[in-house]
Amino acid sequence: MKKNKKKNIMTLIALLLFIGFLAIADRIFDSYQMRIINLAGIYVTLGLGLNLINGFTGLFSLGHAGFMAVGAYTSAILTMSPELKEMNFFLKPIMPFLANVEWPFFPALIMAGLMAAIVGALIGAPVLRLNDDYLAIATLGFAEIIRVIFTNTQTLTNGALGLKGLPSFNNSFPYSFVYWSWGTAVVMIIGMVLLIKSSYGRAFKAIRENEIAAEAMGISLFKHKMMAFVIGSFMAGMGGALLGHLVGTIDPLMFRFLMTFNIVLIVVLGGIGSITGTVIGAVVVTVMLEVLRVLDGAMDFGFIQIQGIPGLRMVVFSALLMIVIIFYQRGLMGTNEFRWEWVTSPKKTLTNAWNNRKA
Amino acid sequence: MSIQTFMQHMVNGISLGSLYALLAIGYTMVYGILRLINFAHGDIFMIGTYIAFYGMTAFLLPWWAAFILALVLTAAFGIALERLAYRPLRRSPRISIMISAIGASFLIENLAIVLFGGRPKAFPIAPVFAKIFKFGGVSVVSIQLIIPVVTLIFLAILVYIVNHTKTGMAMRAVSKDYEAARLMGIDVDIIITFTFGMGSLLAAVGGVLWVLKYPQLTPLMGMMPGLKCFIAAVVGGIGSIKGAVVGGFILGLGEIMIVALLPSLTGFRDAFAFVLLIVILLVKPSGLMGKTTTEKV
Amino acid sequence: MKRKLALFLALIMVFSVFAFGCAKTEETPEEVAAEEEETDVVKIGVFEPMTGANAAGGELEIEGLKLANKLYPEVLGKKVELVIVDNKSDKVEAATAVRRLVDKEKVSIVLGSWGSSFSMAAGPVVKEAQVAAIGTSCTNPLVTLGNEFYFRVCFIDSFQGVVMARYAYEEAGVKKIAILQEISNDYSVALAKFFTDEMVRLTGDEDAIISVSSYNTGDQDFTAQLTNIKNSDAEAIFAPGNFIESALIMKQAKELGMDLPLLGADTWETPEVIDIAKEAAEGAVFSTFFDSEVPLTEETTTFLEAYRAEYGADAEPAAVTALAYDAYLVALDAMERAGTTTDTVAIRDAVAATSMFPGAAGIISLDENGDAVKSAIIKVIEDGKFKYKATVEPF
């Protein structure tokens, strides 16, 4: 009991420190660094959604980009001013009932999540009966179908032209965007921890370990799979909306399979089934992609100069990724989570890790 | 729609379907044995076309020699891919191996952009493949006649190997029960290597025929056909070679016919494959010619 | 619960390391300015798709930029350095890449990109950073609309669509047209729309456009759509779209025994179109920016000579290569007129004032939106070459 109280206090302090960090970062960093921090925060939300579906419940879904598209478009259409919409929809006017809608960001963000969750429920109902590979390919198929539909609905999404001028919500309120991106991420992290610790979370894990045994124990497969899928879709929708507002413009091509793959990558790198891992994975991947940019330019090692090879960055990045996949299959964290004991008794932690290195 | 128009659509659909079928066979073979969606299969197909291209342009080989070179090297490439990216994960959860396949695909595409450049290359076509025949109002290019014939020849060879040779028997055994096959003294590694080699070889055949019909090469050319051909394999019944061919034809003809019959839906053409996939999965998950398997407890 | 939050501590550490690692290099603007004066280097930022789906287009433009940099390496006595970043054919990446250019690299001006959607992603960034950006071949009207920091050296879709419709009606004398558009490409969809409107206006016939069929970026089989068109009353096909797909459309139309005139737009002026479609490309007519036979300006000749010295005596530059080259020239010219390489707002004002500038791809004057008002060239493919047909003045 006493120990718990101590940990809670530490957690609270950590949270306050983090908010402090964001406030300081907002002051002293330039926009480029802030953008990377923002992106990392958004990827945390997106990664957690996918990890809930893939990592904790063991449903291999590859449809994340589709739900992101639903969320991004919902939020964009709801928050853009009527004048902006008129400017964007210069080929065909937008549907009349959406033309004069202008919501503040917060309700639009929640709505984006809800729309994605509804679509998730509609898709989940038929496909969740399928097992691994079939489910993967069916969800991928649905994501593509969503994209093709958005490309063809000129009066709803502006089709291939995309939408431009999404409100950035930067510096509105006393907040800058970083409070939206990381605020959402923090709420999602807390929500995930509570969910995974609850009886639902235990049921998810049971389904992941062995469906048949879980069902025999009286766990309703459909109910729990659906729940994980819908909550994951909700997070994808919110993440998609945040991403849209960060970039300021969206179009259907943004949400190709490559987008899903980026998120899968974050989850795999961090550890399938670890919340801590996803957070670390999101930060590492976002930062890495920027750090590796030097590879595309000309490099000067003092004694030798290399002409820039365009595309080298992505080759190195994908090669590093393959190395991680093949040699560290469990990712950085495996299914472990951060524990205060690591900080309070590091020696013990390291000894344990050393003793269990083979496991 | 006049009869000529309909015939023209049929000709177009059959040649497209044959190409899909060749690629789908590779998916179905690998899946049958390893239970793995080889996401990089479309990229193996792309590599095959580039080998043929460089064989003809850089090494000035006659077209037939370049094609044979492409088949051999692509098969080797497929085998190497299995060794490096899939074998180390043989005992891992299915998810890891699938992610490895997606990662491999990603790596091959990025490498191709650096090595071959992003600009499309025009494939040199020998005149024999480009003769245009007219039957009434229907136009047929010689390659469109060659494609289905080649597809059927390779299908026949493959069915023979699988059903009437020792290797084929071993392949069937491995796909039935991997562990039991090993205990019976089958060298599983060799069989898997052979399967990958065959599948990649067929991808190269498909690739060469593909660029004879659509003569341009880009590093990302394998993405969409790859995805569609996997769907074709699922529709036909994954693990069944004849099923893959049937699935390929259904997909090819379906794509053409949806445009033919419903011209207003042309923008949705790419979604057809996915809609078909989902319908099949919901109605008959084992595909048209697949066997229903029960989950082992 | 606690563990989770504890994780923040870890995060803070990660961030701190990363952030302060970067923060060390922070300098005040004054220091930067002082440094720039000393180093005598002026940085021009370029963001182009070097990888991903549009790598081909990016490659063509970078050719032009590097060539321009080679010919004109200096401005105001300072060496010009091109800082080229990859936008991965991805919007999110494009916005981040441009942020990097303006914040980290402290470039004086930004050039790019192939593909309007990436330019649209860069829009808010350059606006906020108050650095001018010059678009190379992004023709979507939305790129510059409502953004006083974005300019471009190409004309926009609305102009080009009208030019082609007038050509079809007045020169080719066709009254019934089938459209084949690339539905997932903003450029193609917009051109098709403006073409349709103008055609209907000219003919006074609501049904002048017989059919509109679509395909997707990356498609390789168009036989179904073409067979439908073949069996309709269409007298010509208007098929604006990416050159990769367009070349295959030409080839397949020929194979189906169609001899309808094919009409297109500036993307077709790419050597690969002729390489891939070969004789099937014969007779295709399209509008474009620039012509090598009838040099528009002195600069055209300079550009062509340099290009052929670099890439072979009979090399044909793509239109977008010339546009990228021009974007660089306009940037240099603006800096010269502004008399500064550091004051980005002054440079922006100088770019906005660009008028009658002789570029390789025509004379460039920017209107109040920042769009180039320039004449269009109509070309036809004959004997495996792009042949000049006519010039259409802006209206």
Side-chain angles (χ1 to χ4, degrees):
Chain A
M1 205 57 236
K2 210 170 173 187
K3 220 173 177 180
N4 262 348
K5 201 168 175 187
K6 194 173 154 193
K7 281 185 188 168
N8 283 339
I9 290 169
M10 281 164 106
T11 305
L12 206 64
I13 291 170
L15 187 57
L16 288 171
L17 275 173
F18 183 69
I19 293 168
F21 165 76
L22 287 184
I24 295 166
D26 202 20
R27 285 282 151 79
I28 63 166
F29 286 178
D30 62 30
S31 318
Y32 171 61
Q33 287 156 339
M34 282 318 284
R35 170 170 289 263
I36 294 171
I37 292 176
N38 274 322
L39 260 182
I42 293 169
Y43 280 133
V44 168
T45 305
L46 291 167
L48 286 176
L50 193 72
N51 207 346
L52 176 65
I53 300 171
N54 290 15
F56 288 102
T57 322
L59 304 167
F60 200 40
S61 157
L62 291 177
H64 227 52
F67 303 120
M68 285 169 66
V70 173
Y73 271 100
T74 304
S75 175
I77 291 165
L78 289 177
T79 54
M80 282 164 79
S81 66
E83 302 78 55
L84 261 176
K85 281 175 196 160
E86 200 167 327
M87 180 183 98
N88 270 283
F89 287 78
F90 65 85
L91 290 188
K92 285 183 189 163
I94 188 167
M95 293 175 178
F97 78 96
L98 290 171
N100 292 319
V101 180
E102 192 176 1
W103 289 22
F105 189 37
F106 187 66
L109 188 63
I110 300 294
M111 195 65 201
L114 286 176
M115 284 300 286
I118 290 167
V119 174
L122 291 175
I123 290 173
V127 302
L128 286 176
R129 296 185 290 121
L130 303 166
N131 59 14
D132 338 337
D133 306 347
Y134 287 127
L135 178 67
I137 209 84
T139 46
L140 197 163
F142 266 119
E144 283 294 312
I145 290 170
I146 289 172
R147 194 172 62 78
V148 171
I149 290 173
F150 279 4
T151 307
N152 283 281
T153 46
Q154 193 70 46
T155 54
L156 175 67
T157 60
N158 208 16
L161 292 167
L163 296 171
K164 173 196 161 174
L166 276 64
S168 71
F169 299 107
N170 208 357
N171 313 328
S172 61
F173 222 86
Y175 305 135
S176 75
F177 195 82
V178 76
Y179 295 100
W180 286 116
S181 61
W182 273 99
T184 311
V186 169
V187 171
M188 291 298 153
I189 292 169
I190 295 170
M192 277 283 279
V193 175
L194 296 175
L195 180 68
I196 295 303
K197 281 190 163 178
S198 71
S199 62
Y200 292 115
R202 286 196 293 277
F204 293 158
K205 286 187 192 166
I207 292 172
R208 173 184 72 194
E209 297 309 330
N210 190 330
E211 262 190 31
I212 296 160
E215 196 168 29
M217 298 296 291
I219 294 172
S220 158
L221 288 188
F222 183 74
K223 181 181 127 186
H224 288 97
K225 281 184 177 181
M226 197 66 175
M227 193 171 148
F229 198 70
V230 167
I231 296 172
S233 308
F234 178 86
M235 288 169 152
M238 281 183 97
L242 288 164
L243 192 65
H245 289 284
L246 178 71
V247 178
T249 157
I250 50 176
D251 62 36
L253 282 179
M254 256 174 94
F255 303 101
R256 278 174 296 198
F257 176 61
L258 212 59
M259 179 65 93
T260 303
F261 183 61
N262 277 341
I263 317 290
V264 170
L265 194 95
I266 285 167
V267 173
V268 171
L269 203 71
I272 301 175
S274 161
I275 299 171
T276 321
T278 300
V279 177
I280 295 175
V283 176
V284 168
V285 167
T286 319
V287 174
M288 267 265 287
L289 270 174
E290 287 307 313
V291 170
L292 287 174
R293 259 189 204 285
V294 297
L295 294 171
D296 276 349
M299 274 172 286
D300 187 352
F301 293 116
F303 57 93
I304 187 167
Q305 287 197 341
I306 301 176
Q307 264 291 312
I309 306 170
L312 188 63
R313 169 176 72 128
M314 290 321 289
V315 173
V316 172
F317 186 75
S318 32
L320 286 174
L321 168 77
M322 282 307 285
I323 291 169
V324 169
I325 290 173
I326 292 170
F327 297 103
Y328 305 92
Q329 291 161 37
R330 303 182 61 243
L332 294 170
M333 300 290 295
T335 49
N336 299 326
E337 297 292 1
F338 177 85
R339 311 168 52 161
W340 275 118
E341 283 79 1
W342 297 359
V343 181
T344 51
S345 47
K347 200 169 151 196
K348 206 162 115 191
T349 312
L350 285 173
T351 326
N352 285 344
W354 182 250
N355 293 338
N356 301 334
R357 69 189 181 280
K358 284 277 187 290
Chain B
M1 191 185 320
S2 69
I3 186 79
Q4 279 137 330
T5 313
F6 180 75
M7 285 309 293
Q8 183 73 64
H9 279 304
M10 282 304 281
V11 169
N12 299 340
I14 286 170
S15 66
L16 185 63
S18 312
L19 289 170
Y20 283 166
L22 276 173
L23 271 175
I25 293 173
Y27 274 110
T28 224
M29 284 171 71
V30 169
Y31 192 93
I33 289 208
L34 276 185
R35 297 279 175 276
L36 156 76
I37 299 178
N38 184 5
F39 262 97
H41 195 67
D43 303 297
I44 293 174
F45 151 96
M46 178 269 295
I47 294 284
T49 62
Y50 271 99
I51 294 170
F53 171 80
Y54 283 113
M56 288 171 78
T57 54
F59 299 104
L60 304 171
L61 297 170
W63 60 263
W64 51 269
F67 292 178
I68 292 170
L69 180 78
L71 301 196
V72 174
L73 289 181
T74 311
F77 183 83
I79 291 167
L81 175 73
E82 191 272 331
R83 280 283 157 95
L84 295 170
Y86 304 154
R87 187 163 299 184
L89 299 173
R90 194 85 49 85
R91 306 215 168 282
S92 314
R94 300 257 301 269
I95 279 190
S96 310
I97 194 165
M98 186 151 157
I99 289 165
S100 178
I102 301 174
S105 150
F106 194 54
L107 176 60
I108 296 168
E109 282 164 15
N110 284 317
L111 261 175
I113 286 178
V114 170
L115 291 176
F116 310 137
R119 288 170 72 167
K121 304 239 186 294
F123 194 79
I125 301 179
V128 63
F129 298 115
K131 290 199 175 64
I132 299 177
F133 304 103
K134 286 223 176 14
F135 303 106
V138 182
S139 255
V140 184
V141 188
S142 49
I143 184 72
Q144 285 183 300
L145 299 172
I146 294 169
I147 291 171
V149 173
V150 172
T151 305
L152 292 174
I153 290 173
F154 274 95
L155 175 68
I157 295 172
L158 196 64
V159 169
Y160 176 80
I161 290 177
V162 171
N163 290 334
H164 302 281
T165 63
K166 268 230 138 95
T167 316
M169 204 193 301
M171 282 166 74
R172 279 177 293 147
V174 173
S175 74
K176 265 271 182 297
D177 192 333
Y178 179 93
E179 282 304 321
R182 237 175 44 156
L183 295 172
M184 298 301 290
I186 293 173
D187 187 339
V188 173
D189 282 350
I190 295 247
I191 294 299
I192 288 173
T193 298
F194 180 78
T195 307
F196 262 88
M198 281 298 288
S200 306
L201 188 133
L202 287 172
V205 173
V208 166
L209 293 172
W210 187 280
V211 287
L212 287 171
K213 188 164 188 295
Y214 312 111
Q216 61 166 2
L217 291 77
T218 60
L220 301 182
M221 66 188 285
M223 271 173 96
M224 210 59 191
L227 210 51
K228 283 181 180 170
C229 294
F230 176 74
I231 291 172
V234 172
V235 169
I238 199 108
S240 151
I241 289 171
K242 285 178 198 151
V245 175
V246 170
F249 276 104
I250 291 177
L251 199 62
L253 280 167
E255 274 194 0
I256 299 280
M257 286 301 164
I258 194 167
V259 175
L261 302 171
L262 305 161
S264 56
L265 289 183
T266 46
F268 293 91
R269 177 176 155 171
D270 266 359
F272 169 76
F274 297 108
V275 173
L276 178 73
L277 165 86
I278 284 155
V279 170
I280 282 279
L281 285 179
L282 297 179
V283 177
K284 196 169 182 298
S286 56
L288 295 174
M289 305 182 73
K291 298 170 196 66
T292 8
T293 49
T294 45
E295 202 61 36
K296 294 188 201 76
V297 179
Chain C
M1 180 79 220
K2 52 218 127 310
R3 293 186 201 158
K4 198 49 37 252
L5 294 180
L7 168 178
F8 292 148
L9 204 57
L11 266 181
I12 291 165
M13 290 175 196
V14 172
F15 266 135
S16 313
V17 170
F18 152 64
F20 295 113
C22 301
K24 280 198 196 102
T25 59
E26 286 293 292
E27 290 163 328
T28 59
E30 295 79 50
E31 274 175 341
V32 174
E35 210 173 89
E36 254 188 53
E37 297 303 335
E38 281 163 33
T39 51
D40 281 352
V41 166
V42 51
K43 284 181 175 177
I44 293 188
V46 175
F47 72 112
E48 289 283 357
M50 301 191 222
T51 54
N54 302 322
E59 214 170 295
L60 291 169
E61 298 206 345
I62 289 173
E63 266 180 15
L65 290 161
K66 285 194 167 155
L67 199 65
N69 184 233
K70 203 169 164 174
L71 294 182
Y72 303 97
E74 287 198 346
V75 62
L76 299 171
K78 292 183 188 174
K79 196 168 166 303
V80 179
E81 186 191 326
L82 286 178
V83 184
I84 303 177
V85 290
D86 176 17
N87 66 30
K88 248 173 80 185
S89 313
D90 174 299
K91 270 191 160 175
V92 181
E93 192 80 16
T96 313
V98 174
R99 265 258 89 98
R100 183 187 173 87
L101 288 176
V102 298
D103 283 346
K104 270 267 141 339
E105 302 285 355
K106 302 275 191 279
V107 298
S108 311
I109 193 162
V110 175
L111 308 179
S113 157
W114 194 94
S116 300
S117 80
F118 315 130
S119 303
M120 274 152 67
V125 178
V126 294
K127 192 173 175 176
E128 192 201 343
Q130 305 224 311
V131 177
I134 304 179
T136 43
S137 62
C138 36
T139 50
N140 184 333
L142 288 174
V143 172
T144 53
L145 215 56
N147 187 341
E148 64 275 20
F149 279 87
Y150 226 109
F151 304 90
R152 61 181 133 204
V153 293
C154 49
F155 42 59
I156 55 176
D157 295 331
S158 46
F159 172 65
Q160 205 173 193
V162 171
V163 166
M164 280 318 285
R166 291 190 184 176
Y167 169 83
Y169 180 75
E170 287 158 10
E171 304 291 318
V174 287
K175 314 239 176 330
K176 293 280 180 194
I177 293 207
I179 289 181
L180 184 53
Q181 63 179 5
E182 187 179 350
I183 187 88
S184 46
N185 180 345
D186 49 352
Y187 159 86
S188 178
V189 174
L191 269 174
K193 169 80 171 127
F194 294 119
F195 181 93
T196 303
D197 291 350
E198 181 68 6
M199 202 69 200
V200 168
R201 194 184 70 80
L202 288 169
T203 53
D205 174 8
E206 280 300 318
D207 306 317
I209 306 299
I210 290 204
S211 65
V212 178
S213 26
S214 310
Y215 61 90
N216 266 298
T217 313
D219 280 4
Q220 299 189 313
D221 180 275
F222 312 95
T223 49
Q225 289 94 326
L226 288 166
T227 303
N228 283 346
I229 294 170
K230 180 185 174 183
N231 294 290
S232 68
D233 307 330
E235 299 162 11
I237 304 175
F238 181 57
N242 202 350
F243 69 93
I244 300 181
E245 286 81 2
S246 299
L248 287 177
I249 290 175
M250 293 175 190
K251 188 170 186 307
Q252 286 166 31
K254 177 87 191 264
E255 285 174 355
L256 289 170
M258 299 165 75
D259 49 6
L260 297 182
L262 272 165
L263 310 174
D266 64 282
T267 42
W268 288 12
E269 193 173 21
T270 306
E272 276 84 356
V273 170
I274 297 176
D275 287 347
I276 290 164
K278 299 215 165 46
E279 65 279 6
E282 293 293 301
V285 176
F286 56 90
S287 55
T288 183
F289 304 96
F290 134 98
D291 178 65
S292 47
E293 284 169 57
V294 186
L296 295 155
T297 63
E298 290 283 299
E299 199 56 56
T300 314
T301 323
T302 318
F303 166 69
L304 280 171
E305 278 168 8
Y307 186 87
R308 287 179 180 145
E310 188 86 13
Y311 298 102
D314 53 357
E316 273 294 325
V320 293
T321 308
L323 288 171
Y325 177 93
D326 279 0
Y328 178 91
L329 261 52
V330 169
L332 251 53
D333 173 64
M335 284 185 210
E336 257 161 27
R337 280 185 288 112
T340 169
T341 58
T342 48
D343 182 349
T344 54
V345 177
I347 295 173
R348 180 253 156 221
D349 295 338
V351 175
T354 300
S355 143
M356 302 305 285
F357 179 82
I363 302 202
I364 303 164
S365 299
L366 298 181
D367 67 8
E368 67 280 8
N369 285 334
D371 299 329
V373 180
K374 59 204 294 194
S375 42
I377 306 271
I378 305 271
K379 281 191 179 183
V380 61
I381 299 177
E382 261 173 29
D383 309 325
K385 288 253 185 311
F386 299 119
K387 288 262 182 349
Y388 173 81
K389 218 175 157 74
T391 305
V392 182
E393 294 304 330
F395 28 82

